Amino acid sequence: MKSFPALRSLTGTGARFALLMVMVTAAAVPAFDTLLSILRDRGDKGVSQLRGTMGCLYAAGFDPRGSDLDNLMATMRRGGLLTKCFAEHAERPYAGLLATLALFVLAALVYWFLPAVRDRRRRTVAVGEVDADGTLGAELAALHERTGIRSALRFRVDPARMTSGAAVYGRTGSYTVCLHAGLLARRGTDPEGFRAVVLHELAHVHHRDVDYAYASTALWRVFVLLALLPTLAMDAWITVLALSGTDSPWWPDAATVIFASAGAGLLLAGLVHLARADLLRRRELHADVQAMEWGADPANWNRPEPPGTASVVPLLYRLAAPLRTHPGWAERRRVLADTGRLSRISPLEMFLTGASAALVTSSLGTLSFLGEGSTSLWLAVALVAPVICLILGAPIVRARRTPAGRTGSGAVAGLWLGCGLLVGEWVESGRYRVDWFMPQPQYLLAFLFIAAVPTVWWSQTLRLCLGLPKRMQRRAAAVLCAAVTAAVLWSGLWWWELGGRRIALGGGDMGGGGLAKYYARTVPGFWHEYTMDLSGLSWGLALITPLHREQLAGAATILMWLVPLVLLLLQRPGARPRMRRTLVAGLVGGLLAWAGVALASFMLHFQRPGTPKERTGPFLVVHEWWTIVAVMAACLLTAALVAAFSRRHQLLRALIAAQVTQLAAYAGVFLLYAADGCLGPLNTVFDRCQWHTDNGVNVGRAVVLLTLVSTVLGSACAALLGVGAVGAVRWVRRRRAAVSGSVRAHVPAPAPTAVTPVRRAAVFLRAGTVLALAAPAVLLAVVANTTPTSPAMSARLQQESTEQGKQPPDKQPTKPQGNNEVETAKLRSWQTWSWLNDGGAVHVQQVARAALSLNKEILRTAAKERQVNGKVNVDEKTFNRLCGALGKRAAEAEDYFPVPVQDLQKPWSNALSRLRHGARNCQAVTTTPHGNPPRTPAERERLFNASLDEVIKGIADLGNAYRSIYKTADTHGK
């Protein structure tokens, strides 16, 4: 069976080419969605803006003239309902996907027929037609035989090209080497140069990079022609219309959305060109090295730069180097002199990989069939993580094969990867923001840690994997470490999705101090004494809580320190690093955590209320918060110091030490609260000495739940900061030493120690160490993730806090003064129309049907034959069922989006409240009492009639409110 060798690139550029093509394909889906929606709705006079995703946002209260924080708070009030609206009102969700599939098929056809088209267009001829004596064919066959290439290969000549070069093209399994006419003339005067050029082109076939280069080129050209240029033209046309004058509320308040779309397209074009140029340069350099290995003369690369480069300003020439697809001759000579340059990590490739990851994540997020949650992010990480692991892992593996091979720690590469993520997020988020700048853009720097932590962790653990004694162990450990690296990268990016972006937009505290107001409202007590504590609690919880319930993040954080611990203990006996100091440092950190918790308790002792009841209010909440701060501070400080003073495996040792500190700190927290009342000035609630196991377990569980994941990730970030601080100090010292002229004496490397046999006691000791740390950590993770929570309380917190931070639409301070009243009315009509179209009208119809059924039963009962006393028999079960259905429909309508116009929301909510109250009273009076004293018939009759009267009045009020809402919405097209 014939295999497809082109699927694997020997130069390591195949994974990046594949990521490049995936990024282009994924970016085509939202581009085609936008283009097709505009073509489909070009004659609807703006109604298309009120449907689909935009309609759901309008219905939720989105205001293009507001701020990002206002819109965030408005859409967060009903987050689940908004997601459901997106799924229900998505218009032709597969249109963009089908168009992208058609683009992919067209690109495949271009790729397949491009060699034949190129031969016909260039009018190339077979070698036999210009080889009169047969020596050229024989020499080419000999070179082909020397390389050992098995793929089908043919040689042709381009008689119109007089340069002394060649080119290779083709598709999988069938390649063509096209020799220029000038190269044939050079064969007679410089046969070694002729062979070098041919061997260089054959190296491309040997490296299997021809398919990736031409496939990506075909896909990119088709994408530019069918998707990118139309999108940019559409953005330019919208900008021209906006500048020419428009009454749209989107202009100029939300102009950033228009420009962000064009900026995203330009960024994509720039990234793809830079990535392709970098990959094409690398493949040329790899081909040079391979040609040298096949016997090409190095003197053939001693050539000057092409004519005209000398006249260019040198600075501009160097700046334009990343844009060129072929390296200069000077760069080629440097690589041939030092082939290790090809294995070094380029900052440009890491930056481009990070930006590609951000673009892929954003594009996949538009695919509605992937559903809500982190599915799209997982797909993006699954595509990007192997590329990162290959880029960082290849130099480490190559360095291990050389006697003095050394590689970097991965920190610089991680920072460049983070810069790419940052730029990609900044540009892509502009599509959905109305502000030019985020209120707190400094939080974008979190991407540097999100990228640096997994890259450094992978680089250091891979070295440990290579130190294992058996090959299968090395491979299995490397696969496991790659999976953990992907999970850690996913955790960081998911933290940004869940909380980081909201914090950068200024809504970390639910906007307007909503979290603080929630605590002040739900926990009775004198909160004015803890204003600063409450502010710190609100800010801190916004940072540490996004991932505290994510099971995958919890598993990843456990494996971040457990896998390196096992790998360190499984190293070859002669190369096994000592772990005693790391574990001792962790125990010292645990004592530091105990001291910190005790200090926090002692400082709060002066604010301790007089009675136990008062101590269980704000004081206990604040006490628990400062306990969490003490635990995390001790772990982060331990990690930073251990990383700073470690010579090797800094991050891994820091994580292990921080975990020991964390486990010891949890034990201290349990003892503090379980022995409450016996600790004198450290007592929290109780005064009498008694053992309180439940108290220690409950508080300890809360501390573990909030810190188990965030402390490990925070310790990793602190470790990088510690290493960076020590590196900066050493750099300053070296600079001073260089200036003063002092030279440090050379310290000889220590002689290798003899390999000692492994004792059985040492094996048991290492296994016991792993179990002693892993067992409690896993147990705590299981307990924390299985602790029941109150979704109702979370929903109430989110709703109440956002409603606290949200002002009435007509009084929002973020809107510019003096806005055109016509634009304001038009915007309100858009929002109200979307509110009706996306569910408001349906809820009104459902309530009306339920009320009509109840009214029919009332009329049917009134038409019955009356008894002697002038009254009729009432079917209580039927009325109970109908009133229950009416109350349920009214409750569903109340759970829908609030009416975007504040003046209309109050009549709407009052009518529904009256309707629910009447329906509930109707149900109560028609239900047989259980345990309650029975009512008299007269009382039941009075309550029943009163409930029906209230229902009738509620229906009338609801009708009036609906007519007002409809009147406001009916002006959207006028």
Side-chain angles (χ1 to χ4, degrees), residues 188-526:
T189 58
D190 185 12
E192 287 296 330
F194 170 81
R195 297 189 188 97
V197 172
V198 175
L199 289 174
H200 173 91
E201 302 303 327
L202 292 177
H204 286 304
V205 180
H206 173 74
H207 289 158
R208 303 162 188 169
D209 56 22
V210 180
D211 296 87
Y212 286 103
Y214 277 84
S216 62
T217 300
L219 180 62
W220 174 241
R221 290 177 179 176
V222 174
F223 173 80
V224 168
L225 183 62
L226 298 182
L228 183 59
L229 290 180
T231 301
L232 294 177
M234 178 196 66
D235 293 334
W237 178 245
I238 293 175
T239 305
V240 170
L241 292 178
L243 293 175
S244 62
T246 179
D247 61 350
S248 171
W250 285 86
W251 186 267
D253 300 288
T256 177
V257 177
I258 300 175
F259 291 113
S261 177
L266 294 176
L267 175 65
L268 176 64
L271 287 178
V272 172
H273 180 77
L274 288 173
R276 288 185 64 251
D278 182 62
L279 289 170
L280 293 176
R281 288 195 305 272
R282 281 184 171 270
R283 68 189 285 265
E284 295 295 332
L285 297 174
H286 280 287
D288 290 340
V289 173
Q290 186 62 53
M292 285 275 296
E293 293 180 359
W294 283 338
D297 188 358
N300 292 289
W301 279 266
N302 295 326
R303 300 174 61 181
E305 298 294 338
T309 28
S311 61
V312 180
V313 179
L315 178 60
L316 295 179
Y317 183 74
R318 288 195 298 269
L319 291 177
L323 303 176
R324 294 191 292 269
T325 58
H326 279 69
W329 290 105
E331 183 179 1
R332 291 187 171 195
R333 288 190 292 270
R334 286 194 296 268
V335 170
L336 291 178
D338 180 14
T339 57
R341 288 176 174 269
L342 286 177
S343 62
R344 296 173 187 172
I345 302 172
S346 169
L348 178 61
E349 63 180 329
M350 296 303 297
F351 175 82
L352 295 175
T353 302
S356 301
L359 292 179
V360 169
T361 303
S362 178
S363 299
L364 293 178
T366 62
L367 301 179
S368 58
F369 64 88
L370 292 179
E372 58 179 315
S374 60
T375 305
S376 59
L377 181 61
W378 247 124
L379 290 176
V381 170
L383 293 170
V384 175
V387 179
I388 297 174
C389 292
L390 288 175
I391 293 175
L392 296 172
I396 296 175
V397 174
R398 293 191 184 102
R400 178 177 175 270
R401 297 172 181 173
T402 58
R406 295 188 63 183
T407 56
S409 64
V412 176
L415 293 177
W416 280 105
L417 179 70
C419 290
L421 288 170
L422 189 154
V423 172
E425 167 65 23
W426 175 265
V427 175
E428 281 297 319
S429 64
R431 294 174 179 261
Y432 316 104
R433 291 188 289 108
V434 294
D435 293 334
W436 287 100
F437 299 101
M438 290 181 173
Q440 298 182 10
Q442 67 272 14
Y443 284 98
L444 286 170
L445 297 177
F447 281 107
L448 301 182
F449 291 100
I450 291 174
V453 168
T455 54
V456 175
W457 190 90
W458 162 252
S459 300
Q460 295 184 5
T461 53
L462 182 60
R463 292 188 180 93
L464 294 179
C465 294
L466 297 177
L468 295 178
K470 297 182 180 180
R471 177 182 298 180
M472 291 303 298
Q473 292 178 349
R474 294 193 291 269
R475 292 182 176 179
V479 172
L480 176 61
C481 291
V484 175
T485 302
V488 174
L489 179 61
W490 174 87
S491 300
L493 295 176
W494 189 231
W495 173 87
W496 177 261
E497 293 289 336
L498 293 178
R501 183 181 290 115
R502 186 178 70 245
I503 297 173
L505 292 176
D509 192 21
M510 298 294 185
L515 191 59
K517 295 175 182 177
Y518 173 80
Y519 270 110
R521 188 166 55 254
T522 56
V523 181
F526 300 99

Side-chain angles (χ1 to χ4, degrees), residues 836-883:
L836 286 174
N837 183 64
D838 291 336
V842 174
H843 285 297
V844 172
Q845 292 172 5
Q846 292 175 347
V847 172
R849 291 194 195 99
L852 183 60
S853 300
L854 180 61
N855 186 56
K856 288 181 179 179
E857 183 62 24
I858 293 175
L859 295 177
R860 191 180 68 83
T861 303
K864 288 182 179 180
E865 183 179 354
R866 297 183 178 273
Q867 298 178 356
V868 177
N869 57 4
K871 299 179 180 180
V872 296
N873 290 326
V874 175
D875 188 352
E876 295 185 6
K877 291 185 178 179
T878 302
F879 272 98
N880 184 277
R881 176 177 56 81
L882 294 176
C883 289

